[in-house]
Amino acid sequence: MAADRLRALLRSLPRPRSVRARAATAAALVMAMVLAVGGAWLYVTLTDNLLDNTQDRTELAARKVAGTTGALPRHLPQPAGGVDVVVVLGPRGQPLAGTGPDPAAGAAELAGFRPGPGKQASSKVLPKTAASDQRSLAVVVRADSPQGTRYVYAITALADLNDATRALGMTLLAGGPLLMALAAVIAWAVTGLALRPVEAIRAELASVTASALDRRVPDPKGKDEITLLARTVNRTLDRLEQAVSRQRQFTADASHELRNPIAALRTELEVALLAAEAPESAASVRQALDAAVRLQRIADDLLLLARLDTQPAPAGAPADLALLCAEDIARRRSPRVPLVLDAAVPVPVRGDAVQLERLLANLVDNALRHASGEVRLSAVVEPATGQAVLRVADDGPGIPPEAAEQVFERFARLHAARHRQSGGTGLGLAIARDIARAHGGSLRVEPSARGALLVARFPTRGV
């Protein structure tokens, strides 16, 4: 259960998203593991060395007393080498001699500690007691003398060991976070330097669009993986540009070659319609003529899209969006629903007036197909952004939010049957957006209380 709770806690922790953050986090965790393993190894090594040194000094003090062959004085002199206490006990545990004012002190606790069978000396670490607040190392040596078997105990407080391990722990606790932070900072900086070419590649790749396929990512001119990535991306962009160029050329050629046969077919059908006498024949010819007209529109739209894809940005001639709206309304003799214009002052932009007229006509045609009561046009210059804004709104069923981008795709049909009946080709909004982008602007669907609202924005710098 504890392991499950730990895993759930780790999963709930926020994870770094960027590569630099992950590298810095990994470096900090690695440093923490190194400090933990290294600290444990250093603690064990330091403890063993200090215990060995203390045991050697303590055993030496005990053997010096055990080597005395004569009778021992009741009070032994204080041993050298930092040993604290020496006590001599008889075979039955009775105190014979010792250092300090009371040689018999602690004899009862030491009486049960004797060398094992076949051993002359033994040692162990004594725990803390009420009389001593720290551990001690006790060494016992068995000595045979004319007076009988004696057991010499030497005891050394492990103050040096405790101080050393305490200092080691404090050093790791104080320096560990600093070392982890230093490792994270170094990993962050090094990863940033290593990823700088990747960021340059990403920024340049983001600027590659359908109208700017000739752009290439920078080549670091090295032999590492990033250089190979840059060159692979550039080769991929070369192939993409060639494929798109062939597709555009095919579309332009096919549309251009189809215009004359379609125009001839339309002419023949119009003549046949005039000559048709039977109502059934006239109806069939009229349906064929409508299909030919629709096919001609599709060919013209495809040719225009191919030109928009390949031609450079339009020349910067002055134009007035408000005037273009008024002219478009005037050209429509009897629209299906009324067209209302909100434009009190001129709205100057710079671009190709013919293309801007086509953009406006496509937006109005789209609105007329779906409006139920009216279509409202407005052209203003926004004071906050300084952009020229063209809005075309209808009071029809509107565009669902999830389809706000789909309607600008080529041959996109949200309501296929209605489009065919009303003569739409599915290319009008795609052409309008391409024209807006060619003029440095944008075209998108914006929220509306009723119906659909399409908004085109154009820069006004240099107008």
Side-chain angles (χ1 to χ4, degrees):
M1 295 297 293
D4 294 339
R5 287 195 296 269
L6 178 60
R7 283 193 292 269
L9 177 62
L10 292 177
R11 284 194 296 267
S12 64
L13 293 177
R15 296 183 180 181
R17 297 183 178 180
S18 66
V19 175
R20 297 182 70 183
R22 289 198 294 268
T25 303
L29 293 177
V30 170
M31 179 58 70
M33 294 177 60
V34 170
L35 290 175
V37 175
W41 174 81
L42 186 59
Y43 175 84
V44 172
T45 303
L46 179 63
T47 302
D48 290 343
N49 289 337
L50 291 177
L51 280 176
D52 289 342
N53 293 334
T54 303
Q55 181 174 346
D56 291 341
R57 293 185 286 109
T58 306
E59 185 174 348
L60 179 61
R63 288 188 180 277
K64 285 183 178 180
V65 175
T68 303
T69 57
L72 295 173
R74 178 68 176 176
H75 295 281
L76 297 174
Q78 188 67 28
V83 179
D84 297 300
V85 177
V86 175
V87 176
V88 181
L89 301 181
R92 294 187 300 275
Q94 70 277 19
L96 301 178
T99 58
D102 185 9
E109 291 80 6
L110 296 174
F113 175 39
R114 301 286 175 87
K119 294 184 178 179
Q120 188 182 7
S122 184
S123 64
K124 74 173 183 177
V125 176
L126 303 178
K128 297 179 181 180
T129 61
S132 176
D133 60 349
Q134 57 187 355
R135 298 177 303 163
S136 301
L137 178 66
V139 176
V140 57
V141 177
R142 183 173 58 237
D144 296 324
S145 66
Q147 290 80 17
T149 301
R150 296 181 295 194
Y151 295 94
V152 181
Y153 297 85
I155 302 173
T156 302
L158 297 177
D160 294 342
L161 176 62
N162 295 335
D163 292 342
T165 54
R166 187 181 302 109
L168 176 61
M170 295 299 295
T171 301
L172 291 176
L173 289 177
L178 295 178
L179 291 176
M180 291 172 61
L182 179 61
V185 169
I186 293 175
W188 178 275
V190 172
T191 307
L193 291 176
L195 293 179
R196 186 175 298 173
V198 177
E199 176 60 24
I201 293 173
R202 186 206 62 79
E204 188 64 25
L205 194 59
S207 65
V208 176
T209 61
S211 58
L213 286 175
D214 58 333
R215 301 181 70 107
R216 296 295 180 267
V217 301
D219 189 343
K221 303 298 182 183
K223 296 182 179 179
D224 55 9
E225 292 82 356
I226 297 178
T227 301
L228 296 177
L229 172 64
R231 293 172 181 172
T232 302
V233 169
N234 284 334
R235 288 194 294 268
T236 303
L237 290 175
D238 290 338
R239 294 192 295 270
L240 177 62
E241 183 181 14
Q242 294 173 5
V244 172
S245 297
R246 288 193 296 268
Q247 179 184 7
R248 290 172 176 172
Q249 188 63 42
F250 170 77
T251 303
D253 294 342
S255 302
H256 185 270
E257 294 297 328
L258 286 173
R259 295 180 72 185
N260 291 336
I262 294 174
L265 175 62
R266 178 176 178 179
T267 301
E268 294 292 337
L269 290 173
E270 289 174 348
V271 173
L273 181 60
L274 292 175
E277 296 180 356
E280 296 81 2
S281 300
S284 299
V285 173
R286 187 175 291 107
Q287 290 181 357
L289 179 59
D290 292 341
V293 171
R294 175 177 172 77
L295 185 60
Q296 188 175 30
R297 289 178 181 173
I298 293 176
D300 291 340
D301 288 347
L302 287 174
L303 184 59
L304 177 58
L305 281 172
R307 290 172 178 172
L308 289 174
D309 287 339
T310 56
Q311 71 181 9
D320 182 1
L321 288 181
L323 180 60
L324 292 177
C325 290
E327 291 175 348
D328 185 87
I329 293 176
R331 281 193 295 268
R332 299 176 187 271
R333 297 295 182 183
S334 55
R336 189 176 63 84
V337 297
L339 298 173
V340 181
L341 174 61
D342 296 330
V345 296
V347 181
V349 294
R350 186 170 292 274
D352 188 331
V354 175
Q355 291 188 9
L356 292 174
E357 288 177 359
R358 181 61 182 272
L359 178 148
L360 177 61
N362 287 1
L363 295 182
V364 175
D365 289 342
N366 179 76
L368 286 173
R369 279 194 292 270
H370 305 119
S372 58
E374 69 173 11
V375 173
R376 185 171 294 273
L377 289 74
S378 68
V380 297
V381 176
E382 285 187 343
T385 62
Q387 292 180 321
V389 181
L390 171 65
R391 293 183 174 89
V392 178
D394 64 68
D395 55 356
I399 299 174
E402 62 273 12
E405 287 298 318
Q406 181 185 350
V407 295
F408 295 106
E409 297 176 1
R410 299 179 182 185
F411 297 106
R413 298 182 184 277
L414 301 184
H415 307 285
R418 184 173 61 184
H419 271 284
R420 293 191 181 98
Q421 294 170 3
S422 58
T425 63
L427 296 172
L429 293 183
I431 292 174
R433 171 170 275 191
D434 282 358
I435 293 175
R437 288 177 173 175
H439 286 74
S442 63
L443 175 62
R444 59 173 56 92
V445 177
E446 293 192 358
S448 176
R450 181 184 179 188
L453 173 61
L454 285 90
V455 181
R457 301 176 185 271
F458 301 94
T460 57
R461 294 187 301 272
V463 178

